[in-house]
Amino acid sequence: MSQTTEQAQITEQAARRRTFAIISHPDAGKTTLTEKLLLYGGAIQLAGSVKARRNQRKATSDWMELEKERGISVTSTVLQFEYRDHVLNLLDTPGHNDFSADTYRTLTAADSAVMLIDNAKGVEAQTKKLFAVCRERGIPIFTFVNKMDHPGRGPLALLTEVEEVLSIGSCPINWPIGQGSEFKGVFDRETRQVHLYERVSHGSTKADLEVVDFEDPRLKELIGAELYQNLLDDIDLLDVAGEPFDADKVARGELSPVFFGSALTNFGVELFLKRFLDIAPSPSPRQAIGGSVETDAAFSGFVFKIQANMDPNHRDRIAFMRVVSGRFEKDMEAAHSRLNRRLRLSRPQRLFAQDRETVEEAYPGDIVGLTNPGMFQLGDTLSAGAPVRFDEVPSFAPEVFSFIRNDDVGRLKHFEKGIGQLCEEGLVDLFWDRRSARREPILGAVGRLQFEVVQHRLRSEYGVETGLEPLAFEVIRWLGGDIEAIRAVYWGSNARLVEDDFGNPVVLIMTPWNLQYLQDQNPKIRFFANRNELERAIAKV
């Protein structure tokens, strides 16, 4: 195959891809919407509710036992399926605030995001945080207002809130007819058709619908005179005062197309999916250190997530790699930029939650699972040609800290292996106090629920019982400067000098006031907010 022909094939395949994440506040219905998109994509035949009873299906995207027990998502999973000649890579992210770092890292692999908003609650705290990350990265954002079958604030109030709170324009692609028990369906503004839905039991199958032209004289009778008049008034208002759809503004993240529906009962889900495919961006060039990488260039990709023990039978570790450019092929050789060596990428896998199959080839936008025998870290870059480095995956400073204790001396090796692998995933950070008589590791996390997940996984995956001893530190800083000078500092009782798992000096500090005091007393030492900042400073030297 000539280079021109191969590049044309790569371009064609990339154009078919839509790689996106769903972001929301907890309990807005994110996992339910994920399930319904899979249902309409033909990936599953029966959608399971997260709140399903014991004898019902569990959510496909929640594969970890703790997730099934608690009814929450605490890991990012990758779900690939085809729909209308498109390949969709859906990045399902944790909704719980304590796992925001995992969500942020996952967003680096996405080309767009679907922001899910609860009809009754509007724009919530976690949604604001995740939206800010999308805006910082310039990710196009699509809004799905969920739970229209429940009483809520109403579409006009929600649009106003989105625009005022998030400072982004909004353009309704469809419009709801009623809400709560009076929710009848949605009006498609482009086709000027009304989609009337029949409720389905638990939303476990595709919704039956009747499509009626807006001018059809039966419409007034079908939805009722009051809702019909409200719809006429709303459409007139939108046509006159609403912001028009502008694809360029959407691509720049300045305008969010808005859809209304109910994921639980399947109202509006398929209509959203069809229009999303038309509007959402396909993979585009990405900025690497030293220049931009086009999608039709030689293969390159970066690791944005690592997950241990997805398959309990094999106890393996999977590195999730986003393909940025070119064609990935099974058993190909690639340059590993951090290790400065070439690796054979054998046994690549396509993942669907915990299920997997061998990948023969993949294209820009696809997510490939690489078996990880300790070779990969978060942010690693692989490339077929000259070494490439993408600076895509951020590190995050933990906010809570705790000693973790192995309660079974006979399981020490299992404890050490488990802690090492879970920290490799980025679930928690690992620190050591080399000067202390205590040899227990210190864990740092964004939220305390992460400690609970670590203990659960150590118990269920490694057979290790542990205890936690919380530490009162609130602030962490990575340190730059002469290592002997750092070790000679008297840190006092309100700070503790430790090392991270990469051997970098780190100080844990009680309060922001203590941090300011230490900075004033030690002007020759540099204090960095996270490991990325330290590494960038070292690279400039």
Side-chain angles (χ1 to χ4, degrees):
M1 185 184 299
S2 69
Q3 183 179 7
T4 303
T5 303
E6 182 172 7
Q7 286 179 317
Q9 183 181 24
I10 292 169
T11 300
E12 179 184 348
Q13 289 294 333
R16 296 178 61 213
R17 266 63 181 175
R18 300 290 185 272
T19 302
F20 65 103
I22 301 178
I23 61 173
S24 74
H25 193 82
D27 299 323
K30 178 173 60 61
T31 303
T32 305
L33 177 61
T34 299
E35 289 280 319
K36 300 313 170 64
L37 293 175
L38 298 178
L39 175 68
Y40 280 101
I44 55 176
Q45 297 303 312
L46 182 68
S49 170
V50 179
K51 297 179 180 178
R53 297 179 180 179
R54 293 181 182 178
N55 62 341
Q56 293 177 330
R57 287 279 302 269
K58 299 296 183 181
T60 301
S61 55
D62 290 336
W63 57 270
M64 190 187 293
E65 286 302 318
L66 181 64
E67 295 179 309
K68 296 174 182 177
E69 292 171 9
R70 297 279 294 269
I72 58 172
S73 296
V74 298
T75 59
S76 296
T77 56
V78 179
L79 307 159
Q80 186 185 77
F81 59 99
E82 293 195 24
Y83 182 74
R84 294 178 67 203
D85 198 38
H86 286 79
V87 178
L88 287 86
N89 294 293
L90 195 166
L91 305 172
D92 185 38
T93 60
H96 198 284
N97 185 47
D98 283 5
F99 296 87
S100 55
D102 194 26
T103 302
Y104 294 166
R105 284 191 289 262
T106 299
L107 285 172
T108 66
D111 296 318
S112 61
V114 176
M115 179 172 64
L116 195 62
I117 293 178
D118 188 315
N119 175 42
K121 299 177 181 178
V123 180
E124 299 176 85
Q126 180 71 351
T127 310
K128 295 176 189 176
K129 292 181 181 180
L130 296 173
F131 174 85
V133 176
C134 292
R135 165 156 283 179
E136 184 180 339
R137 297 189 58 81
I139 297 176
I141 297 173
F142 298 77
T143 301
F144 187 91
V145 178
N146 194 26
K147 303 185 182 181
M148 289 303 301
D149 56 328
H150 289 70
R153 301 182 183 182
L156 289 173
L158 287 171
L159 290 182
T160 301
E161 183 177 10
V162 166
E163 294 177 355
E164 292 180 351
V165 174
L166 302 179
S167 299
I168 187 173
S170 61
C171 175
I173 303 299
N174 59 34
W175 194 253
I177 302 172
Q179 63 175 323
S181 60
E182 295 297 313
F183 183 51
K184 302 296 185 183
V186 294
F187 167 72
D188 187 327
R189 297 183 65 199
E190 181 184 51
T191 63
R192 299 190 69 80
Q193 291 179 323
V194 173
H195 294 244
L196 301 174
Y197 293 90
E198 294 291 335
R199 294 178 182 269
V200 293
S201 177
H202 302 294
S204 59
T205 59
K206 296 179 181 179
D208 295 325
L209 61 88
E210 181 180 0
V211 180
V212 180
D213 288 335
F214 181 61
E215 290 76 17
D216 192 317
R218 297 180 301 140
L219 180 60
K220 185 174 182 179
E221 181 181 347
L222 288 170
I223 65 175
E226 183 178 354
L227 288 179
Y228 179 75
Q229 186 59 51
N230 291 340
L231 180 60
L232 291 177
D233 295 340
D234 288 345
I235 291 173
D236 286 343
L237 179 63
L238 291 173
D239 289 344
V240 173
E243 186 159 0
F245 177 79
D246 185 324
D248 291 335
K249 285 187 175 181
V250 174
R252 294 194 300 267
E254 298 172 2
L255 180 69
S256 179
V258 182
F259 301 80
F260 295 86
S262 166
L264 187 64
T265 56
N266 292 339
F267 284 3
V269 174
E270 187 172 30
L271 186 61
F272 160 73
L273 183 57
K274 289 178 178 178
R275 295 301 304 279
F276 175 77
L277 292 179
D278 295 335
I279 304 171
S282 57
S284 58
R286 292 232 174 184
Q287 192 67 32
I289 296 176
S292 179
V293 177
E294 300 293 326
T295 56
D296 63 353
F299 160 74
S300 66
F302 65 90
V303 175
F304 67 93
K305 176 178 173 60
I306 293 174
Q307 184 74 54
N309 304 326
M310 290 189 69
D311 184 348
N313 296 321
H314 295 93
R315 298 298 186 195
D316 57 357
R317 280 176 289 171
I318 299 294
F320 290 74
M321 178 189 67
R322 153 74 192 235
V323 179
V324 173
S325 64
R327 177 168 59 185
F328 170 89
E329 295 179 279
K330 178 186 175 184
D331 293 326
M332 72 183 300
E333 278 197 354
H336 190 306
S337 62
R338 178 176 57 83
L339 297 180
N340 194 27
R341 57 177 290 191
R342 296 189 72 81
L343 301 177
R344 182 171 296 278
L345 304 180
S346 57
R347 292 190 295 160
Q349 301 168 46
R350 178 173 293 111
L351 298 114
F352 186 85
Q354 80 274 31
D355 299 325
R356 60 188 74 184
E357 62 181 26
T358 300
V359 170
E360 297 297 331
E361 61 181 15
Y363 293 91
D366 286 343
I367 310 299
V368 176
L370 302 174
T371 303
N372 179 23
M375 292 288 187
F376 302 117
Q377 295 178 5
L378 292 170
D380 280 350
T381 301
L382 298 166
S383 56
V388 175
R389 184 181 172 191
F390 296 103
D391 191 13
E392 292 274 2
V393 181
S395 66
F396 297 89
E399 299 174 12
V400 291
F401 305 89
S402 180
F403 276 115
I404 185 164
R405 180 184 66 251
N406 173 29
D407 287 341
D408 185 350
V409 178
R411 305 287 292 179
L412 179 60
K413 287 186 177 179
H414 296 80
F415 171 76
E416 292 176 342
K417 178 182 179 181
I419 287 292
Q421 291 188 352
L422 296 180
C423 291
E424 185 182 69
E425 292 181 15
L427 176 61
V428 289
D429 288 292
L430 186 61
F431 304 97
W432 301 92
D433 187 345
R434 304 296 185 188
R435 300 186 295 184
S436 172
R438 295 186 64 165
R439 300 306 302 153
E440 289 127 350
I442 297 172
L443 300 183
V446 174
R448 294 198 179 278
L449 182 57
Q450 289 173 274
F451 293 150
E452 183 180 336
V453 173
V454 167
Q455 287 189 289
H456 176 92
R457 292 186 61 184
L458 285 172
R459 184 185 310 114
S460 62
E461 298 172 18
Y462 300 92
V464 176
E465 293 291 340
T466 59
L468 289 174
E469 182 182 321
L471 295 169
F473 302 111
E474 297 179 0
V475 182
I476 182 172
R477 287 296 184 267
W478 275 256
L479 302 175
D482 181 73
I483 188 63
E484 294 304 322
I486 292 172
R487 290 172 178 168
V489 171
Y490 174 68
W491 296 100
S493 59
N494 293 320
R496 183 192 294 261
L497 182 66
V498 297
E499 289 182 5
D500 67 13
D501 209 31
F502 301 92
N504 299 309
V506 176
V507 62
L508 308 181
I509 307 168
M510 288 289 189
T511 68
W513 186 91
N514 297 133
L515 167 62
Q516 187 61 54
Y517 176 81
L518 289 170
Q519 288 176 317
D520 293 341
Q521 293 298 307
N522 300 281
K524 294 184 179 180
I525 295 175
R526 300 181 67 187
F527 292 74
F528 298 97
N530 56 56
R531 185 162 56 86
N532 282 155
E533 288 188 6
L534 173 65
E535 290 175 347
R536 292 189 188 106
I538 292 173
K540 291 179 180 179
V541 176

